[in-house]
Amino acid sequence: MILSMSTFVVAESLEDLLIDGTADLSGQDRIDAQKVILVENVDLLASEMDTKMESIPGIVKKVIGNTKVNIYFDSGEVIGFVIEDAKVVEIKAEEIEEQTFDVYISDNAFEDLNAGSININNAIKNGDISYDGRGFWGNIKFGMLTTALKILGF
């Protein structure tokens, strides 16, 4: 039933799918359904990411402007994406090879993110979101990103 949920919702945005499409669910069922929706609608996710990238401070944009990222969720789902010139050029519901960063997000942080109530700084500090660089360039970018986030107050 959860897997077919997104086929019954006519949505204009990812937010419509995530919030309105799971309004009848609660707790872990809602979180799990929202993850499935993300995985099934990676094109909408890419569009949302591109829109958000426009408002990212320049220093962070320079660090992540050409990056490959895998996002891992508590229950095992993975979304991999490639950013070139601060635009998502590839996104899929599986790992990207030769990634620059791995990002791990807890169910608590995922739920807060979807509700619009996440405090990224606190989520990173308490371990609900973590990230690390992969390989030589990934570790260099990791250091640069960490420094940039500290400068920006995260």
Side-chain angles (χ1 to χ4, degrees), residues 38-39 42 45 49 64 66-74 76-83 88 90-106 128-135 138 142 145:
L38 275 183
V39 168
V42 291
L45 178 58
M49 289 172 65
I64 64 171
N66 293 300
T67 306
K68 294 179 180 181
V69 179
N70 288 323
I71 299 176
Y72 299 92
F73 298 99
D74 277 350
E77 291 90 351
V78 178
I79 295 179
F81 57 92
V82 178
I83 299 171
V88 176
E90 180 182 357
I91 188 165
K92 57 187 179 177
E94 59 188 60
E95 291 179 318
I96 297 287
E97 292 185 19
E98 299 178 22
Q99 72 273 26
T100 313
F101 294 108
D102 286 331
V103 176
Y104 303 90
I105 183 166
S106 72
D128 281 333
I129 295 176
S130 62
Y131 58 96
D132 54 31
R134 306 288 293 183
F142 173 81
L145 180 60

Side-chain angles (χ1 to χ4, degrees), residues 51-65:
T51 300
K52 299 237 185 264
M53 288 286 278
E54 293 172 7
S55 64
I56 290 176
I59 189 169
V60 175
K61 219 183 266 190
K62 285 191 184 290
V63 174
I64 64 171

